[in-house]
Amino acid sequence: MIQWRGLNRACLAALVALLGVLSAAAADPMLMGANGGAFFLAEPGPLIINVTKQNIGTPTDLRVVLVGPDRRPITDQRIAAGSAGQKSTIQLTTQVERKGVYVLQVTAANDRYGTSIAWGFTTNCPKYLIESSRGHRDEAHQEPIMLHSPALPGNIAFMPPADAFQINASNLAAGTLVTLYDANGGLIQNLTVTNNQAQAQISAQVARTATPWRLYLSKASGTIEIDGVTRWRTQDIYKDLAVWTPSVSAWFDLLPNRWLVTPYRKLIYGQAGKTGAVKFKVHNNGPATRVFNLALEAGTGSLQAQLSTSQLTLTKGQSAEVTVQYTVPAQGRGSRHLRVTPAGQTAYSTYSTLEVAADPDPARAPLTMPMVIQPFEHEAEKYGYQVDYPTDWEMYHDLDNRPYVVTDKGVMVLRGGVWELSDFSNTVTVASGTFTAASFVPDRRRTKIAFDDRNELYLPVAHGRGALLHSRDGGRTFTAYDLGLSGNFDIEQFSGHNVPTGAPWVLRHRGTNLELIPVTRNANGSLTIGTPIILSTATLGVGAHSGIASAILSRGNRVHVIWGDATTTTVPGVPAYVVSYDRTTRQPLGQPVLLGYGPPANDGHNRHSITIDSQGTLHALIGTHNYTFQYARSLQPNTAHGGWTTAAPVIAGARQRQTYIGLVCDREDTLHLVNRHFIYEELNTSAYRGVLSHQIKRAGQSWEAPRRLWISPLSEYSIFYHRLTIDRLGHLHLSYDYWSTFWFYRNDHLGTRRTSIYSTDRGQQWRLLFSDQLMAGTRTAADRDWLLFE
């Protein structure tokens, strides 16, 4: 018998910690497949998590990242690949200072679906949930729970949907018993196992008073699929969140409180003694109206701060901002923690952190390239970067160098230091067609904005039918012109040396047809939409997935188009065709010219791109999907029909994994290419990472080696939805938003991380973008002569 008398507090604490370690390691964990992670509702004291990995296929590394409630990194470790079948365990420990939800993320190297490893954990934390999460697939999202512990019994505790739903179990171990219970142990249904499979159809009439429910397997091996939990229907409340736990007692209310307060962390730099204010958002993701209690808790240092309110009432799905006013410390830095607790649910509580530093702002300094981003630490957390411009999509600049951005409601433009919204619902007049205000809804396929030689604005949109929006007053109001059929549209964006003489023409991709739509700007300012010209009946189309490749541009009376076709014969890739048209006659200057092929064949990722320099030379890049881009230039100015150089790789040597062209030409006729580039990460050559690479070709010289700009925080597949544009001063603007293949990482962040960086010296130095820097570059109609490149 242990005698507690006489033990001091330090001894007691040490003993409690030791008992926690023993408890955390008391049993082998139930192992599961796929990647994913877990959430721990931790109380103050030691938090211990033992993570076990077993190779069930080709041995590979397992990366384990633990972060706090404010997503501050605690540890980032790897369990080495080891040998076939090997089982390895590492221990993660941290001291919890205040209650909150800690996050564990698990990813396998070179195995985004998690089919080569099984993992599990034990912990001293009594409240924890698992989120099964693999890498993405090009199909409807589902996250089956895959168990790999046939020697152990296992449970899957989950929140049942309110309506009728189905459970499916497959690949069960021989002799497995499967039973469904409620939270009190009441029997709901014994599942019949036939040929190692079982199924249950649960009626909406079955009582949900004791939740979560528990699916018991006498042998924890097999694949479990549950409607509303691992696969989702229209009526499901918590889509894409495959949340469960092996123990009913471990359940806590994460689902209605997911993203309770965002951002998780704010880092602010300022001058000592200055006051400021930052906004956080509280979200009610529950199914009913709720009240939330808010409080500021002391952190480090002597940060003075006040909260705008101590309580919020939010309806279902509602979010509301709260403001924290602060005074920058006299020196060093200080922090406060914004705690949010649902009223009447004191068992659940978490927080975000505000940290304020009396230091020079690193977000204003030149960036050290490449930016090496760590998990959960992007630009806001790494540099204290506070975005002050619309982040929906990329920026385009008019002839006065004023920036414009397409948003989900209309177009935003920077005027007088303020971003103004021209909402399509009340700024559009219909000139032709049967449109309504709801017809004009921009999306990511139509974010380009064109400006003609009179600084008039053009933007194609589609909703049932296509329309071309035209503004003669800087985007304050628009007139809509009917383009006829719907489809994917593309328009000429400024890429360095092209300013349309008259209205820009439009490309439309519909089915397998690629059409060139002539547009005439009339003397009275109106537009006339011409009869579409069919360029191809086998096109792979136009698109703005990433890179925002330039498919159409003009110089004077000529319009140049580049595109790729589907093929029926064996060819080395997607053919790149280019053609030039005369604006006046609306006739081609010759037959389409084949520049080369971008592998692989019949791949819609292979978007080709074209630009023009100050001398009128056309420059084309042949798009690929994880192969090396190829480059060709015209031998005669301003025509695709005077000969071309032989297409050649932009990187010599071995195959490069390049995709998604962003191409512009600066005022010195230097070509700039930004693309996604897959590389093998330095720490582990068995895995690869996505990076944003910048590559240049100076006039009359060869392509230089790529320079890495941004290295993704996680290995395996990724996309950046990057958009490279150039303003009227020749400054480069790169907009991007990291998209990891891993659902767990994407799910954890609410909203966009889209960021813009810019360079004023042809890409030698890059900086994070601020609106005041955009204002410094604006011009007036009186000094537009610098735009005349011809």
Side-chain angles (χ1 to χ4, degrees):
M1 180 176 179
I2 297 177
Q3 298 293 322
W4 297 98
R5 187 179 303 165
L7 287 176
N8 60 30
R9 290 187 177 182
C11 291
L12 279 171
L15 183 57
V16 169
L18 176 60
L19 290 173
V21 172
L22 294 173
S23 173
D28 289 334
M30 181 175 68
L31 300 181
M32 63 199 118
N35 299 279
F39 300 88
F40 303 86
L41 182 58
E43 300 284 349
L47 172 62
I48 303 157
I49 307 167
N50 293 303
V51 180
T52 298
K53 182 205 78 169
Q54 183 171 21
N55 294 322
I56 58 174
T58 303
T60 188
D61 286 6
L62 192 74
R63 186 179 185 185
V64 181
V65 178
L66 179 65
V67 296
D70 57 4
R71 303 312 186 259
R72 191 179 301 274
I74 296 171
T75 185
D76 185 346
Q77 299 186 40
R78 294 174 187 260
I79 303 178
S83 57
Q86 181 178 341
K87 185 183 291 187
S88 305
T89 300
I90 59 171
Q91 185 172 93
L92 315 178
T93 62
T94 190
Q95 185 69 25
V96 176
E97 299 295 334
R98 54 184 51 80
K99 183 175 183 175
V101 179
Y102 285 69
V103 179
L104 176 75
Q105 175 172 283
V106 172
T107 55
N110 207 30
D111 182 21
R112 61 170 152 156
Y113 304 132
T115 57
S116 294
I117 54 95
W119 69 281
F121 63 89
T122 58
T123 180
N124 69 333
C125 183
K127 297 292 183 181
Y128 59 90
L129 295 173
I130 295 167
E131 183 180 328
S132 293
S133 175
R134 304 170 298 176
H136 85 286
R137 295 177 185 267
D138 292 333
E139 60 183 31
H141 183 213
Q142 52 187 341
E143 297 287 357
I145 299 169
M146 296 176 285
L147 303 180
H148 294 285
S149 293
L152 300 174
N155 293 289
I156 296 172
F158 65 96
M159 192 60 63
D163 59 338
F165 70 98
Q166 187 170 291
I167 300 173
N168 297 91
S170 59
N171 305 316
L172 299 172
T176 300
L177 302 177
V178 184
T179 311
L180 184 62
Y181 299 96
D182 66 18
N184 296 328
L187 177 65
I188 296 175
Q189 185 174 333
N190 285 309
L191 279 68
T192 301
V193 178
T194 305
N195 296 326
N196 299 328
Q197 299 184 59
Q199 177 178 306
Q201 185 68 44
I202 308 301
S203 167
Q205 280 67 51
V206 177
R208 267 75 162 171
T209 53
T211 58
W213 286 2
R214 175 172 61 95
L215 186 69
Y216 168 77
L217 288 81
S218 63
K219 298 179 180 181
S221 181
T223 301
I224 310 300
E225 299 172 275
I226 307 172
D227 290 338
V229 179
T230 71
R231 57 194 181 198
W232 298 273
R233 305 153 302 171
T234 302
Q235 67 269 30
D236 291 325
I237 300 176
Y238 303 113
K239 295 183 177 66
D240 298 323
L241 304 175
V243 174
W244 59 283
T245 183
S247 169
V248 168
S249 64
W251 188 270
F252 66 93
D253 286 331
L254 175 69
L255 287 170
N257 297 306
R258 193 74 181 266
W259 316 289
L260 186 59
V261 54
T262 62
Y264 300 118
R265 179 158 43 119
K266 279 264 192 180
L267 173 59
I268 305 291
Y269 290 88
Q271 184 179 346
K274 292 288 186 180
T275 60
V278 295
K279 294 185 182 297
F280 291 83
K281 262 192 176 181
V282 178
H283 309 268
N284 179 13
N285 296 303
T289 297
R290 292 192 294 164
V291 177
F292 298 89
N293 295 321
L294 290 73
L296 275 182
E297 297 178 346
T300 59
S302 56
L303 178 64
Q304 298 179 12
Q306 297 82 38
L307 185 60
S308 60
T309 184
S310 60
Q311 194 171 82
L312 287 173
T313 300
L314 301 177
T315 59
K316 171 186 175 181
Q318 186 183 9
S319 300
E321 289 184 336
V322 294
T323 302
V324 179
Q325 295 182 323
Y326 62 85
T327 301
V328 180
Q331 60 182 2
R333 60 180 61 195
S335 65
R336 299 291 293 271
H337 305 285
L338 173 58
R339 178 166 297 282
V340 181
T341 306
Q345 293 179 288
T346 54
Y348 187 95
S349 183
T350 195
Y351 63 88
S352 290
T353 296
L354 170 63
E355 187 173 10
V356 181
D359 297 318
D361 189 352
R364 293 277 182 173
L367 294 166
T368 299
M369 294 300 190
M371 288 185 278
V372 181
I373 304 299
Q374 301 301 326
F376 303 96
E377 281 200 312
H378 290 243
E379 288 80 0
E381 299 83 11
K382 184 178 179 73
Y383 305 105
Y385 182 42
Q386 309 299 317
V387 173
D388 64 352
Y389 51 85
T391 56
D392 299 68
W393 294 109
E394 70 280 4
M395 292 182 186
Y396 294 94
H397 294 74
D398 68 8
L399 270 62
D400 298 330
N401 215 39
R402 191 176 303 279
Y404 294 71
V405 179
V406 171
T407 75
D408 60 353
K409 291 185 177 180
V411 171
M412 294 198 76
V413 56
L414 183 61
R415 293 193 182 94
V418 177
W419 285 96
E420 299 177 358
L421 172 66
S422 291
D423 192 324
F424 289 163
S425 66
N426 56 34
T427 60
V428 178
T429 300
V430 177
S432 61
T434 56
F435 297 107
T436 64
S439 300
F440 310 111
V441 181
D443 63 31
R444 71 180 189 184
R445 295 173 298 175
R446 288 172 281 272
T447 61
K448 293 182 181 179
I449 301 174
F451 299 91
D452 66 16
D453 56 343
R454 293 183 182 174
N455 211 27
E456 297 179 8
L457 181 155
Y458 302 81
L459 171 68
V461 295
H463 187 74
R465 292 175 68 82
L468 181 64
L469 301 187
H470 177 215
S471 175
R472 302 175 65 194
D473 57 6
R476 292 180 174 87
T477 61
F478 298 86
T479 303
Y481 293 87
D482 192 357
L483 289 175
L485 301 172
S486 63
N488 291 331
F489 293 91
D490 199 3
I491 198 169
E492 176 176 4
Q493 82 262 35
F494 179 68
S495 62
H497 296 273
N498 56 306
V499 179
T501 304
W505 289 14
V506 176
L507 282 176
R508 175 169 57 207
H509 166 218
R510 182 177 176 84
T512 59
N513 281 3
L514 181 66
E515 301 168 340
L516 180 60
I517 304 176
V519 182
T520 301
R521 186 185 65 201
N522 302 314
N524 64 1
S526 66
L527 303 181
T528 299
I529 307 300
T531 303
I533 302 165
I534 296 180
L535 298 178
S536 172
T537 57
T539 186
L540 289 171
V542 298
H545 178 288
S546 291
I548 208 80
S550 175
I552 180 172
L553 58 82
S554 65
R555 169 70 63 86
N557 202 42
R558 293 180 176 179
V559 178
H560 313 287
V561 183
I562 192 169
W563 75 92
D565 274 352
T567 55
T568 56
T569 58
T570 302
V571 294
V574 174
Y577 293 105
V578 62
V579 69
S580 299
Y581 269 77
D582 184 283
R583 278 181 176 272
T584 304
T585 65
R586 301 186 180 181
Q587 295 297 313
L589 303 185
Q591 292 297 312
V593 178
L594 174 63
L595 299 181
Y597 297 90
N602 297 321
D603 192 325
H605 296 83
N606 302 3
R607 304 295 184 191
H608 312 312
S609 191
I610 191 168
T611 189
I612 193 169
D613 65 22
S614 64
Q615 304 305 308
T617 300
L618 299 173
H619 301 268
L621 280 176
I622 300 173
T624 63
H625 192 194
N626 298 327
Y627 287 81
T628 311
F629 296 145
Q630 296 180 66
Y631 163 76
R633 62 175 172 81
S634 67
L635 299 179
Q636 293 185 19
N638 205 25
T639 179
H641 304 281
W644 289 77
T645 60
T646 302
V650 299
I651 306 175
R655 164 188 166 186
Q656 301 292 318
R657 303 181 69 183
Q658 294 179 290
T659 313
Y660 302 130
I661 295 169
L663 176 66
V664 298
C665 182
D666 70 22
R667 299 180 75 181
E668 285 72 36
D669 286 344
T670 296
L671 300 180
H672 295 268
L673 163 64
V674 172
N675 63 275
R676 184 190 70 188
H677 197 173
F678 283 143
I679 62 169
Y680 286 108
E681 60 173 312
E682 286 75 7
L683 295 177
N684 180 1
T685 56
S686 70
Y688 65 91
R689 290 198 188 202
V691 306
L692 277 174
S693 285
H694 174 220
Q695 193 171 358
I696 68 173
K697 181 190 178 300
R698 304 178 195 276
Q701 299 182 29
S702 300
W703 285 94
E704 298 180 9
R707 180 188 181 199
R708 298 173 188 175
L709 298 180
W710 203 93
I711 300 180
S712 57
L714 299 174
S715 66
E716 316 314 310
Y717 181 84
S718 58
I719 308 172
F720 301 101
Y721 294 109
H722 59 282
R723 312 291 174 87
L724 177 67
T725 60
I726 189 168
D727 68 20
R728 308 296 171 147
L729 297 176
H731 300 164
L732 304 175
H733 295 260
L734 177 61
S735 171
Y736 58 90
D737 185 6
Y738 175 63
W739 188 96
S740 168
T741 187
F742 297 113
W743 276 90
F744 186 93
Y745 196 71
R746 298 206 311 278
N747 279 342
D748 185 68
H749 183 81
L750 186 64
T752 181
R753 283 192 176 105
R754 182 162 288 275
T755 301
S756 289
I757 59 175
Y758 77 105
S759 174
T760 61
D761 59 1
R762 301 182 300 282
Q764 299 306 301
Q765 189 178 85
W766 294 83
R767 293 175 181 266
L768 292 164
L769 185 67
F770 290 90
S771 289
D772 57 4
Q773 295 156 343
L774 293 167
M775 285 298 298
T778 56
R779 294 292 185 269
T780 65
D783 56 1
R784 286 186 189 154
D785 56 340
W786 51 270
L787 287 169
L788 302 178
F789 295 110
E790 288 90 293

